[in-house]
Amino acid sequence: MTWLDSEKVRPLLRTSLFGKEILYVEEATSTNDLALRAASQGAQEGYCVIAERQTRGRGRLGRVWYSPPFKNLYLSLVLRPKAKGASLYPFSFLSCLSVQKILRQNGLQPSLKWPNDVLLKGRKVSGTLIELEPVKGFAVVGVGINVNMAEEDLVQDLREIATSLYIETGRYWQREQILAAFLNTFEDLYALMGREGARGIVTMWEKEAKIEGKSVSFEKNGSTFTGIVRGLSPEGALIVDVEGRTFRIHGGELIWYS
Ligand code: BTN
């Protein structure tokens, strides 16, 4: 059992915002809960919460995020975005692009799946959950990265669909190094988004994910449709062509995507 040492993270950081303040806890219901609470009490942009385990780790659409102790990274960041009413997708893309980049720097070949998955050989290694407090003007980006979890740590239902860096490479990874690399990259891309707007991040994600031409099924107003992805809207929704009709698909509506 190896504890994550947040003091080992600091010397690796070259950020001026993200991870300047880190709250490290052994256990959280969800790191997003702690970050949301801290943000509502005035925590600065970039405030970071990490936990060794989550008792109620959550994913999109009310799913559970499997969070065994001492193996993986569970982190949440406080954002105070300037653009009001901003779509959440660009922040999610930004997080996924950051994970993709650091995995690539470590010799892996991650792919992206809309809206918030990072995959290795088709199995999910990382997911992002953004939660927004529009009235108070902050958002929390929660990121799970499966690092040192072994196949036998996974519950049966997840064995086909989830993976970890350890499972893919057969070696243990230093979580402090991954966390610092993530925060450094996230800050670079966040600054880019601040300078150039969300479109640049959306385009970058679109290029990396190669979604154009893929087939998707989705549900709208109680009916199921199947169509071909034409690209992303400026705010990050999927644009799908169904026999000449154009639909914009948001996260909750997608059923199947290949
Ligand atoms: C998903 O793929 O549906 C999103 C998963 C997000 C998981 C992370 S782990 C850290 C943070 N705390 C949570 O409860 N969820 C996010």
Side-chain angles (χ1 to χ4, degrees), residues 30-32 54 57-60 65 75 116 124 127-128 142-144:
S30 153
T31 52
N32 272 25
Q54 301 185 111
R58 55 182 179 264
R60 287 177 51 252
W65 184 255
L75 71 121
N116 72 333
K124 185 155 167 169
T128 294
V143 189

Side-chain angles (χ1 to χ4, degrees), residues 60-61 217-220 248-256:
R60 287 177 51 252
L61 312 175
S217 293
F218 60 92
E219 206 162 76
K220 201 135 199 160
R248 277 171 187 237
I249 308 304
H250 298 273
E253 298 159 338
L254 194 71
I255 304 175
W256 177 81

Side-chain angles (χ1 to χ4, degrees), residues 3-15 18-22 24 48 50 73 75 174-184:
W3 296 76
L4 198 149
D5 184 352
S6 57
E7 287 313 312
K8 282 194 190 150
V9 179
R10 287 178 216 286
L12 303 173
L13 289 178
R14 51 171 176 69
T15 57
F18 291 96
K20 281 314 219 193
E21 209 178 333
I22 296 179
Y24 166 82
C48 174
I50 43 182
L73 281 172
L75 71 121
Q174 212 197 12
R175 288 182 295 160
E176 290 85 353
Q177 187 252 323
I178 310 267
L179 175 61
F182 175 79
L183 293 170
N184 289 334

Side-chain angles (χ1 to χ4, degrees), residues 62-234:
R63 294 185 189 127
V64 169
W65 184 255
Y66 182 61
S67 309
F70 303 110
K71 305 262 172 163
N72 297 329
L73 281 172
Y74 315 113
L75 71 121
S76 298
L77 297 173
V78 171
L79 300 184
R80 297 192 176 275
K82 307 270 174 301
K84 295 283 169 261
S87 158
L88 296 183
Y89 291 118
F91 298 114
S92 178
F93 293 160
L94 203 152
S95 165
C96 296
L97 284 164
S98 303
V99 173
Q100 184 193 40
K101 189 163 177 197
I102 62 173
L103 298 188
R104 264 196 192 143
Q105 284 163 350
N106 282 284
L108 297 165
Q109 292 177 307
S111 55
L112 302 177
K113 185 174 174 196
W114 190 84
N116 72 333
D117 295 359
V118 183
L119 312 176
L120 285 172
K121 296 198 192 123
R123 294 196 292 169
K124 185 155 167 169
V125 70
S126 172
T128 294
L129 174 70
I130 315 274
E131 293 181 303
L132 187 67
E133 185 46 88
V135 180
K136 295 186 186 146
F138 61 77
V140 161
V141 182
V143 189
I145 307 176
N146 297 335
V147 182
N148 290 323
M149 184 164 77
E151 199 94 47
E152 54 271 22
D153 294 321
L154 278 166
V155 288
Q156 198 62 40
D157 291 359
L158 292 177
R159 290 198 182 168
E160 300 274 288
I161 53 173
T163 192
S164 73
L165 302 184
Y166 173 77
I167 293 171
E168 296 304 322
T169 63
R171 72 166 173 94
Y172 288 103
W173 293 65
Q174 212 197 12
R175 288 182 295 160
E176 290 85 353
Q177 187 252 323
I178 310 267
L179 175 61
F182 175 79
L183 293 170
N184 289 334
T185 310
F186 189 93
E187 181 157 311
D188 290 344
L189 291 179
Y190 192 61
L192 182 81
M193 188 163 137
R195 285 195 305 273
E196 297 179 8
R199 186 66 228 182
I201 293 292
V202 173
T203 308
M204 207 183 285
W205 187 93
E206 197 174 19
K207 236 169 77 190
E208 287 292 346
K210 302 180 189 75
I211 45 165
E212 225 179 295
K214 289 196 172 164
S215 174
V216 318
S217 293
F218 60 92
E219 206 162 76
K220 201 135 199 160
N221 306 328
S223 304
T224 303
F225 298 90
T226 299
I228 302 295
V229 178
R230 295 292 174 224
L232 292 178
S233 72

